[in-house]
Amino acid sequence: MSDSSRDTAEGAGWGGADRGAYQRLMPARVEKISWLNPRTLWAARNGVLASWFGDPTGRTRGRWVAQRAAAGAPADKVIRRSDPDDFSFMVIGDTGEGDDPQYAVVPGFLRASQGTSFAVLASDVIYPVGSADDYGSKFFRPYRDYQAPVYAIPGNHDWYEDLGAFMRVFCDDAPALPAEPAPRLFSGARLRSWLWHRPSAKDGERLAEARKLRSGTGQRAVQPGPYWAIDTGPVRIIGIDTGLLGSLDAEQGAWLREVSQGPRPKILITGSPLYVDGEHHPCPIDGGGTVDDIVSAPEHRYVAAIGGDIHNYQRYPVRLADGRTLQYVVSGGGGAFMHATHTIPRVSVAGVTEQDFRCYPLRGDSLAFYSGLYGRRLRLRRFFSLTEAEGQAVVAERLGIPATRTPGPEVKVTRRIRLIAGLLGTGSRPDRRRRFRLPVRKIYTQLFSPSSATYSPPFFKCFLRLDVSPESVRLRCFAATGNLAQELNPPVEDEVTIPLG
């Protein structure tokens, strides 16, 4: 087994290693997505409009579900597979930017996924707005050599064109929904409708050709809608659709309560993680209650809840009142730009401490990565850039924890290092947080997220493999850096065995 980032800096991908061969898989022309480009932000405006003028996705989702039911989809939305009691599946989240970071994951994913029965894409299949003609280079091409079915749950970006392309690809070529009557004049809904981004009339003209890249008999998967359950082996896997704003409509909430009944162990896959960045986000359900109320209820027997949306890996083993430990996992590092982990403060939530918490990339690697990125962007590389050893040292100092990686030569933490760490929103201990401070972390992670065009290895991407038996689920997080060493032998960054008894 190769070194991971917890073992050596080389295992994290530092050190100018040979670049991987993933670029051979890429199309000749690659569109670089920049989230600082006004055109991209304008096309992705529907999330803002939904937060200002009301979120229509619950109603639209209900229309999609009704359409699929009329077409013969099972009323309970359960996919019944015939896998044996011992089987494996993959989970990969937030994949579809279609550039180097996404394709860098593919070689390691194909190696680690050998012998798996299927894969699940957890959130944001296609960036920036879920267009049908983007599926060729961002879904069908990168995963054409994965010979098993792929199921998916949509993320907010898949909803930016009302989920039409997602439904065509994953739900048996579902036809477009008929237009709804115009909202009442002089209403917020009317203004929202007027400003709403919709797919172009020509979108989808290349979809039939793209489908040929994944047309094998064993690759085909049809799901009953944007949310579903899979009964396979000894477990039930439940995928929910959290739409544009990270919540469930009442109809989906009632369905989730129903499919969560019974003694069968369950794994939730969601587009909005329930624990993330040291905080609890239980995910509200219209009409009352939360997703986490359902997941944490002892009678429902959930053993893990895996969420996409955040582009890194995090794990929170929460011990519940009945004595069970439920693994809450963030797994959105499958291709899109890397969300920082160095902004995560010292963890203390729901009984989970820093000693229990795991993340990838390590906070020090995240800080070193972003300092180099901003050093290049601001043309202050000599002042701004930190080495991985400096990043690790200042993170350990600010959080009051030992160095995560095996210590190398001692690093003196200077004023410059502390200043850069502070400017980039590095987390700290609760007793060191100032009462009044600028919202550096929020501004940094939301406004100044990097464009994929600025990337070079290490990319710090990741994906999951889950090996299921009647007794347990073995969950492993594999890394992809864009370097050849990790491409040939993907390192395991985290591993946990979850009992099913």
Side-chain angles (χ1 to χ4, degrees), residues 222-241:
V222 175
Q223 57 191 58
Y227 58 91
W228 41 260
I230 298 174
D231 280 351
T232 182
V235 298
R236 170 170 281 185
I237 303 162
I238 298 173
I240 59 173
D241 168 18

Side-chain angles (χ1 to χ4, degrees), residues 398-444:
R398 288 177 67 94
L399 295 181
I401 61 174
T404 307
R405 187 154 48 232
T406 304
E410 186 175 349
V411 174
K412 182 181 179 181
V413 180
T414 64
R415 289 184 178 179
R416 180 188 72 87
I417 294 173
R418 293 189 182 102
L419 174 62
I420 299 306
L423 289 173
L424 292 181
T426 306
S428 61
R429 300 198 306 253
D431 60 336
R432 288 193 175 184
R433 296 178 201 168
R434 299 175 183 174
R435 186 174 179 182
F436 301 104
R437 61 175 181 165
L438 291 171
V440 172
R441 180 178 166 213
K442 184 175 182 181
I443 294 173
Y444 167 73

Side-chain angles (χ1 to χ4, degrees), residues 3-17 362 365 387-389 392 405-406 408 458 460 481 483 486:
D3 284 349
S4 74
S5 68
R6 291 180 170 268
D7 299 316
T8 63
E10 292 75 17
W14 299 111
L362 301 181
D365 290 333
T387 68
E388 53 81 20
Q392 179 174 248
R405 187 154 48 232
T406 304
F460 297 111
T481 67
N483 291 330
Q486 289 81 33

